[in-house]
Amino acid sequence: MFITPDTLNTINLEFTNYCNAACPMCARFKSDGSLYKEKVNNAHNTLEILQKQIPEGIIKQLHNFYSVGTYGEPVINPQCLEIYQWVRSLNRECRLSLHTNGGARDRQFWKQLAETGVQAVYGIDGLADTNHLYRRNVKWDKLMDNVRSFIDAGGDARWTFIVFKHNQHQIEEAREMANLMGFKTFNTVFTDRWKQSNWVTGATEDVKKWPVDDYYLERPTLQEQRNSNTKANTVGIYEKKKFNLTTPVKCKMASDDTYEIYIRANGDVQPCCMLGDLDVHEPKNIIHDPKSVNLNHNNLVDILNGDFFRRLDTGINKGSEDRLKNCFYTCALN
């Protein structure tokens, strides 16, 4: 079974493609450091459109409503709180969450977000003297003030720490700080963007230093050691598997009791962000009318029952010519 109006139980909403930060490895930026001006700072999902185009019955059946944006910081959306409150008013059991740099809005906003029952996963990559090296434009004092307001109001806060060479020595200090402040969890992660894979050619570029202003981001020695031990991240996506129509594909967005969609800030509806931008990347080849898959022009029921999702289904589950390479390389079974 694929994603249908009846099976849908998870929505990942990109609230906006605006952001207060300028993280160098973010998808907002090209490899040369310039901003993707054509892709950012031009769209919010609005409460009016969501209420108009998504039936209340779908909201009531959701297990998860969350935001891990590709291009934006969710709380920048002027209606971020109101959208979460709308979902909560219709579904008391739905798990609400967002990923955030924590540096925008004010104490009152974060207090109300906590009271709505939204879990906040904060991307904090260091301490006062290092967080800004990746989370550029995020002011430490404001970030800490917002976090304290959220936690003091009973909010479920989680700390995710991206490890770089410049902050790896602070992991244990940050872990202790997270515990003292009342974060529920503290996790360290490594970015995979030191390996740049080209979806078209399959070529992989190994990046060890990322230029930023007058300094460099460098891969942490902890990650170098892990990769050496596990042989991880040593080949490009096209070297791992050869594209074909017979290898089974298990879509992570439509399996194991999860039936999920991703709604981009511009209103495009797709199973996940791995398909890329529908107007630029491979999916455009199986979309007959861009408006037919966009929430600003079509309701969610018709989108899920429409030609695009049917063709995704046959490509994934029946190995038809509609199979997308991104689906294969992301979710094909070994």
Side-chain angles (χ1 to χ4, degrees):
M1 185 180 296
F2 199 57
I3 307 159
T4 69
D6 293 330
T7 62
L8 179 65
N9 58 29
T10 300
I11 292 178
N12 176 8
L13 180 74
E14 183 176 41
F15 277 78
T16 182
N17 59 22
Y18 289 80
C19 188
N20 59 303
C23 307
M25 291 179 164
C26 176
R28 294 172 59 83
F29 294 93
K30 301 176 184 178
S31 58
D32 63 3
S34 62
L35 195 68
Y36 271 111
K37 293 182 180 179
E38 66 275 21
K39 285 293 177 184
V40 301
N41 300 344
N42 58 25
H44 299 301
N45 273 302
T46 68
L47 178 61
E48 178 184 8
I49 289 296
L50 296 175
Q51 289 177 325
K52 176 183 176 182
Q53 304 289 39
I54 303 178
E56 289 188 359
I58 286 182
I59 299 298
K60 290 177 180 178
Q61 74 192 27
L62 293 180
H63 300 166
N64 294 286
F65 182 91
Y66 72 104
S67 183
V68 182
T70 299
Y71 294 123
E73 161 60 44
V75 308
I76 295 294
N77 184 314
Q79 296 180 310
C80 177
L81 177 63
E82 289 78 7
I83 290 171
Y84 275 115
Q85 289 173 333
W86 168 62
V87 176
R88 176 59 76 220
S89 71
L90 295 173
N91 189 331
R92 303 302 301 175
E93 304 301 321
C94 182
R95 177 178 175 270
L96 308 179
S97 63
L98 61 77
H99 287 239
T100 176
N101 62 56
R105 307 296 284 259
D106 58 18
R107 290 181 57 85
Q108 181 64 16
F109 170 86
W110 289 100
K111 176 179 182 293
Q112 290 180 288
L113 198 69
E115 292 170 345
T116 306
V118 180
Q119 180 189 93
V121 181
Y122 290 92
I124 306 175
D125 309 320
L127 298 173
D129 61 333
T130 55
N131 184 61
H132 64 282
L133 295 178
Y134 183 66
R135 304 283 173 174
R136 293 187 299 169
N137 300 335
V138 174
K139 306 302 182 184
W140 182 259
D141 289 343
K142 183 172 181 58
L143 164 63
M144 290 294 103
D145 200 39
N146 288 341
V147 170
R148 290 189 180 95
S149 179
F150 182 79
I151 292 175
D152 288 348
D156 181 342
R158 313 292 174 110
W159 184 329
T160 297
F161 183 116
I162 301 177
V163 183
F164 296 96
K165 188 174 182 180
H166 65 260
N167 66 15
Q168 62 182 5
H169 65 288
Q170 297 177 320
I171 292 174
E172 292 311 314
E173 185 178 353
R175 190 190 308 276
E176 179 62 21
M177 180 178 178
N179 183 56
L180 291 173
M181 290 184 67
F183 281 87
K184 299 290 186 182
T185 61
F186 175 88
N187 294 305
T188 56
V189 296
F190 295 108
T191 177
D192 61 1
R193 292 184 180 176
W194 304 111
K195 288 284 184 181
Q196 295 291 300
S197 295
N198 188 309
W199 284 101
V200 177
T201 66
T204 301
E205 179 185 2
D206 191 359
V207 180
K208 291 190 176 182
K209 296 175 69 175
W210 198 291
V212 186
D213 299 331
D214 59 347
Y215 62 94
Y216 288 91
L217 296 176
E218 296 183 68
R219 193 187 312 194
T221 56
L222 294 174
Q223 189 170 7
E224 296 279 11
Q225 293 166 1
R226 185 195 67 166
N227 289 350
S228 176
N229 292 335
T230 64
K231 306 297 183 183
N233 300 320
T234 58
V235 295
I237 54 174
Y238 277 60
E239 296 171 90
K240 294 177 182 178
K241 311 169 187 172
K242 186 175 181 180
F243 180 77
N244 63 76
L245 300 180
T246 58
T247 299
V249 173
K250 182 180 180 181
C251 176
K252 294 180 176 66
M253 301 297 104
S255 59
D256 299 328
D257 297 323
T258 294
Y259 296 92
E260 178 170 341
I261 58 169
Y262 175 48
I263 304 175
R264 286 192 177 272
N266 68 355
D268 283 347
V269 179
Q270 55 199 86
C272 71
C273 65
M274 295 304 293
L275 295 187
D277 295 330
L278 301 189
D279 59 338
V280 174
H281 299 115
E282 190 185 18
K284 70 179 182 180
N285 298 326
I286 62 170
I287 297 174
H288 70 278
D289 176 11
K291 290 184 178 180
S292 70
V293 298
N294 188 281
L295 213 59
N296 292 296
H297 302 281
N298 201 4
N299 69 73
L300 185 57
V301 171
D302 287 345
I303 292 173
L304 295 179
N305 286 333
D307 183 63
F308 176 50
F309 273 77
R310 283 199 300 270
R311 296 182 74 173
L312 285 172
D313 186 9
T314 59
I316 291 169
N317 294 313
K318 298 180 181 179
S320 77
E321 294 295 333
D322 289 329
R323 173 169 288 186
L324 301 181
K325 290 180 179 179
N326 290 25
C327 292
F328 179 84
Y329 289 113
T330 304
C331 291
L333 301 175
N334 293 325

